[in-house]
Amino acid sequence: PTKQHLDSLLPELDVHTSFFIPLPFTEGPATGGCIASCAQATHLCVNDLYSGALNVTGQDSFEWSWSVKGPQKDADISAVYTREP
């Protein structure tokens, strides 16, 4: 099964579907390694679990990570962004 039957929210993109996940931000270091302000989301797509996090680490920096796990998928990607002075 796929999601090709769903209409795309952005028809100008060459994808079978697109969606937006609201990211409720939490403040402070008490939640999941959050340094300043962070949001996390998970999305099950057929048999694959997509998990993402955005962590605002300061006024000029943030980190994001994305994980995809499934029967034929096992990937992690992350990046750190810092504004140059």
Side-chain angles (χ1 to χ4, degrees):
T2 68
K3 295 184 178 184
Q4 293 183 356
H5 66 283
L6 298 176
D7 291 333
S8 176
L9 295 174
L10 302 169
E12 63 275 12
L13 297 180
D14 187 23
V15 296
H16 64 272
T17 187
S18 46
F19 57 91
F20 296 94
I21 297 174
L23 294 175
F25 279 85
T26 56
E27 297 293 330
T31 55
C34 179
I35 296 171
S37 183
C38 64
Q40 298 176 336
T42 58
H43 170 71
L44 184 62
C45 183
V46 186
N47 294 321
D48 304 320
L49 181 63
Y50 291 75
S51 302
L54 174 64
N55 188 5
V56 179
T57 54
Q59 182 176 344
D60 295 317
S61 60
F62 67 92
E63 303 169 351
W64 66 261
S65 61
W66 202 246
S67 172
V68 183
K69 306 294 181 197
Q72 296 181 11
K73 295 180 182 176
D74 183 12
D76 295 298
I77 186 171
S78 61
V80 175
Y81 293 88
T82 304
R83 185 188 333 238
E84 293 183 3

